[in-house]
Amino acid sequence: MARDTKIQYQPKPWRKTPLVESANLSKAAGCRIFLKLDLLQPSGSFKSRGIGAFILSTLQRSSNPDKIHFFSSSGGNAGLAAVTASKALGRPCTVVVPNSTKP
């Protein structure tokens, strides 16, 4: 008798962002220059891809993903990406911000 396995779909907590050519930079450099628009990521930075992929793969590998709580130490974009990805995937996340972080 085959065992019934349920595969749960989890969306990626990051977006595919476009490349746009910069006419001014291309002209100044003498070659085509493209800008990756990672400001369109859910967290506003490229860190959404790496940290989001880590969080997603951790949940997919876990035998009990409902018990996972993510932690990050960051005074900037990495912490924001961790919280954004965790929230999108329905898991809690705590970010410890160093005292040296400027407002």
Side-chain angles (χ1 to χ4, degrees), residues 41-86:
Q41 290 294 348
S43 70
S45 94
F46 72 96
K47 300 208 179 215
S48 282
R49 285 192 305 273
I51 292 172
F54 170 76
I55 289 174
L56 181 60
S57 69
T58 299
L59 292 172
Q60 290 172 338
R61 288 190 322 267
S62 174
S63 60
N64 199 350
D66 292 336
K67 295 212 178 220
I68 294 179
H69 185 123
F70 292 96
F71 291 86
S72 173
S73 174
S74 170
N77 291 337
L80 185 57
V83 168
T84 303
S86 295

Side-chain angles (χ1 to χ4, degrees), residues 22-57:
S22 170
N24 291 339
L25 291 175
S26 295
K27 183 177 178 182
C31 62
R32 295 178 76 190
I33 303 290
F34 291 86
L35 304 174
K36 181 77 167 148
L37 299 185
D38 279 328
L39 70 149
L40 300 176
Q41 290 294 348
S43 70
S45 94
F46 72 96
K47 300 208 179 215
S48 282
R49 285 192 305 273
I51 292 172
F54 170 76
I55 289 174
L56 181 60
S57 69

